[in-house]
PDB file of all heavy atoms in Angstrom:
ATOM      1  N   LEU A  74      18.422   7.847   6.277  1.00  0.00           N
ATOM      2  CA  LEU A  74      16.982   8.043   6.086  1.00  0.00           C
ATOM      3  C   LEU A  74      16.223   6.776   6.466  1.00  0.00           C
ATOM      4  O   LEU A  74      16.359   5.749   5.812  1.00  0.00           O
ATOM      5  CB  LEU A  74      16.686   8.393   4.617  1.00  0.00           C
ATOM      6  CG  LEU A  74      15.222   8.641   4.265  1.00  0.00           C
ATOM      7  CD1 LEU A  74      14.718   9.928   4.900  1.00  0.00           C
ATOM      8  CD2 LEU A  74      15.034   8.710   2.745  1.00  0.00           C
ATOM      9  N   GLY A  75      15.432   6.854   7.536  1.00  0.00           N
ATOM     10  CA  GLY A  75      14.575   5.734   7.929  1.00  0.00           C
ATOM     11  C   GLY A  75      13.196   5.925   7.324  1.00  0.00           C
ATOM     12  O   GLY A  75      12.615   7.006   7.436  1.00  0.00           O
ATOM     13  N   ILE A  76      12.683   4.909   6.666  1.00  0.00           N
ATOM     14  CA  ILE A  76      11.369   5.017   6.029  1.00  0.00           C
ATOM     15  C   ILE A  76      10.380   4.077   6.719  1.00  0.00           C
ATOM     16  O   ILE A  76      10.671   2.895   6.910  1.00  0.00           O
ATOM     17  CB  ILE A  76      11.444   4.683   4.520  1.00  0.00           C
ATOM     18  CG1 ILE A  76      12.405   5.649   3.808  1.00  0.00           C
ATOM     19  CG2 ILE A  76      10.064   4.732   3.880  1.00  0.00           C
ATOM     20  CD1 ILE A  76      12.654   5.319   2.338  1.00  0.00           C
ATOM     21  N   CYS A  77       9.210   4.604   7.083  1.00  0.00           N
ATOM     22  CA  CYS A  77       8.092   3.842   7.663  1.00  0.00           C
ATOM     23  C   CYS A  77       8.541   3.127   8.932  1.00  0.00           C
ATOM     24  O   CYS A  77       8.895   3.775   9.914  1.00  0.00           O
ATOM     25  CB  CYS A  77       7.512   2.904   6.605  1.00  0.00           C
ATOM     26  SG  CYS A  77       5.898   2.246   7.046  1.00  0.00           S
ATOM     27  N   LEU A  78       8.597   1.801   8.935  1.00  0.00           N
ATOM     28  CA  LEU A  78       9.062   1.096  10.132  1.00  0.00           C
ATOM     29  C   LEU A  78      10.496   1.510  10.482  1.00  0.00           C
ATOM     30  O   LEU A  78      10.856   1.572  11.663  1.00  0.00           O
ATOM     31  CB  LEU A  78       8.977  -0.423   9.910  1.00  0.00           C
ATOM     32  CG  LEU A  78       9.419  -1.295  11.079  1.00  0.00           C
ATOM     33  CD1 LEU A  78       8.497  -1.113  12.278  1.00  0.00           C
ATOM     34  CD2 LEU A  78       9.452  -2.771  10.675  1.00  0.00           C
ATOM     35  N   GLY A  79      11.299   1.838   9.469  1.00  0.00           N
ATOM     36  CA  GLY A  79      12.671   2.307   9.707  1.00  0.00           C
ATOM     37  C   GLY A  79      12.683   3.544  10.594  1.00  0.00           C
ATOM     38  O   GLY A  79      13.507   3.678  11.498  1.00  0.00           O
ATOM     39  N   MET A  80      11.752   4.472  10.330  1.00  0.00           N
ATOM     40  CA  MET A  80      11.631   5.671  11.178  1.00  0.00           C
ATOM     41  C   MET A  80      11.218   5.283  12.595  1.00  0.00           C
ATOM     42  O   MET A  80      11.783   5.760  13.585  1.00  0.00           O
ATOM     43  CB  MET A  80      10.576   6.602  10.578  1.00  0.00           C
ATOM     44  CG  MET A  80      10.000   7.634  11.542  1.00  0.00           C
ATOM     45  SD  MET A  80       8.753   8.629  10.674  1.00  0.00           S
ATOM     46  CE  MET A  80       8.092   9.624  11.998  1.00  0.00           C
ATOM     47  N   GLN A  81      10.239   4.393  12.696  1.00  0.00           N
ATOM     48  CA  GLN A  81       9.746   4.011  14.028  1.00  0.00           C
ATOM     49  C   GLN A  81      10.838   3.319  14.837  1.00  0.00           C
ATOM     50  O   GLN A  81      10.960   3.536  16.046  1.00  0.00           O
ATOM     51  CB  GLN A  81       8.509   3.110  13.889  1.00  0.00           C
ATOM     52  CG  GLN A  81       7.356   3.829  13.192  1.00  0.00           C
ATOM     53  CD  GLN A  81       6.104   2.975  13.055  1.00  0.00           C
ATOM     54  OE1 GLN A  81       6.064   1.837  13.518  1.00  0.00           O
ATOM     55  NE2 GLN A  81       5.086   3.523  12.418  1.00  0.00           N
ATOM     56  N   LEU A  82      11.656   2.503  14.164  1.00  0.00           N
ATOM     57  CA  LEU A  82      12.723   1.781  14.875  1.00  0.00           C
ATOM     58  C   LEU A  82      13.820   2.728  15.360  1.00  0.00           C
ATOM     59  O   LEU A  82      14.587   2.375  16.264  1.00  0.00           O
ATOM     60  CB  LEU A  82      13.330   0.695  13.982  1.00  0.00           C
ATOM     61  CG  LEU A  82      12.414  -0.473  13.615  1.00  0.00           C
ATOM     62  CD1 LEU A  82      13.151  -1.456  12.709  1.00  0.00           C
ATOM     63  CD2 LEU A  82      11.880  -1.202  14.845  1.00  0.00           C
ATOM     64  N   MET A  83      13.900   3.923  14.798  1.00  0.00           N
ATOM     65  CA  MET A  83      14.908   4.884  15.268  1.00  0.00           C
ATOM     66  C   MET A  83      14.480   5.568  16.566  1.00  0.00           C
ATOM     67  O   MET A  83      15.254   6.301  17.165  1.00  0.00           O
ATOM     68  CB  MET A  83      15.212   5.917  14.183  1.00  0.00           C
ATOM     69  CG  MET A  83      15.907   5.296  12.964  1.00  0.00           C
ATOM     70  SD  MET A  83      16.727   6.471  11.851  1.00  0.00           S
ATOM     71  CE  MET A  83      15.411   7.533  11.374  1.00  0.00           C
ATOM     72  N   CYS A  84      13.238   5.322  17.008  1.00  0.00           N
ATOM     73  CA  CYS A  84      12.777   5.871  18.294  1.00  0.00           C
ATOM     74  C   CYS A  84      13.227   4.964  19.450  1.00  0.00           C
ATOM     75  O   CYS A  84      13.872   3.949  19.237  1.00  0.00           O
ATOM     76  CB  CYS A  84      11.264   6.034  18.268  1.00  0.00           C
ATOM     77  SG  CYS A  84      10.750   7.251  17.034  1.00  0.00           S
ATOM     78  N   ASP A  85      12.882   5.386  20.707  1.00  0.00           N
ATOM     79  CA  ASP A  85      13.279   4.604  21.889  1.00  0.00           C
ATOM     80  C   ASP A  85      12.552   3.267  22.004  1.00  0.00           C
ATOM     81  O   ASP A  85      13.118   2.251  22.377  1.00  0.00           O
ATOM     82  CB  ASP A  85      12.889   5.363  23.176  1.00  0.00           C
ATOM     83  CG  ASP A  85      13.814   6.497  23.447  1.00  0.00           C
ATOM     84  OD1 ASP A  85      15.005   6.358  23.144  1.00  0.00           O
ATOM     85  OD2 ASP A  85      13.334   7.531  23.958  1.00  0.00           O
TER      86      ASP A  85
END
Side-chain angles (χ1 to χ4, degrees):
Chain A
L74 181 69
I76 300 174
C77 195
L78 180 65
M80 160 181 174
Q81 298 181 2
L82 293 179
M83 293 197 302
C84 296
D85 284 325

